[in-house]
Amino acid sequence: MMTIGLGTASVSPRPLADAFRIAAELGYDGVEVMVTAERASQYAASLRALSRRFGMPVLSIHAPVLVMTTHVFGFSPLGKLRRSVELADAVGASTVVVHPPFRWQRRSARQFVDAVHRLGGIGPTIAVENMFPVAVGTVGVEAYAPSWNPGELDLPALTLDFSHASLAGVSALDLAQQWGPRLRHVHLCDGSELGPNRRVVDEHLPPGAGAQPVAETLQALAARGFTGHVIAEVGTHDCRTDRARRDRLADTLAFARRHSTAQRERATALS
């Protein structure tokens, strides 16, 4: 059965404690912590205290690989990955989510696949996330190396992000089918269809609000017995009130549970 967690990125820039509180109040199964400049996200003691306080396990750690977290856990992408694995191990999280390095991080890009195998063999699963070409005018330029699509690499575990699939102009369902059992982790959201003038915006729409086959993908994963984490990672920056933010995250949880159980319920009815 899938585990439905709330990504702390969904409430950013609100304090980390707010994400744990909202997850507990809405009935999520746990939390994915994105490591950011907020010090509480960087230390096992702080995360364990929040987990105990709100009764929410830390399911996964998202390494600090965004441009805005360039300085967090040092400047080396592989050093950031190592420290994220150590943090996940210390808080009992089963998964570390990481992006491929940027293309200009050439040394890390060359060593990335070997590092994932080495570090993933001694602790939590490292699930590499699909990214996307970056638009320069109307042309897509490869910004990640060895590839924006981790399914093309010799990697044992992958994370599927629907919004990133939209920016790459591909179907997340197609990626899920191509990746097969290597798909171990999901960032639940949605994205618009890529138009003739390429967008740079990573939307992270609520599931069902975009053009990705989100429901069909969750149903397909349920049908094949997917037991990984499905983490709500939807944007709430446009929510003007706490009530609006909570409603969006509650609707996302309901969507995830509805479509992750629909296939199983149909199978039971037919048996």
Side-chain angles (χ1 to χ4, degrees), residues 33-73:
V33 174
M34 177 174 280
V35 180
T36 66
E38 184 178 355
R39 292 181 63 82
S41 71
Q42 302 173 22
Y43 294 98
S46 300
L47 296 182
R48 287 195 294 261
L50 286 169
S51 182
R52 289 193 299 270
R53 176 181 170 189
F54 294 102
M56 283 282 101
V58 178
L59 303 174
S60 45
I61 295 291
H62 194 307
V65 290
L66 304 178
V67 173
M68 67 188 68
T69 56
T70 299
H71 65 289
V72 178
F73 281 3

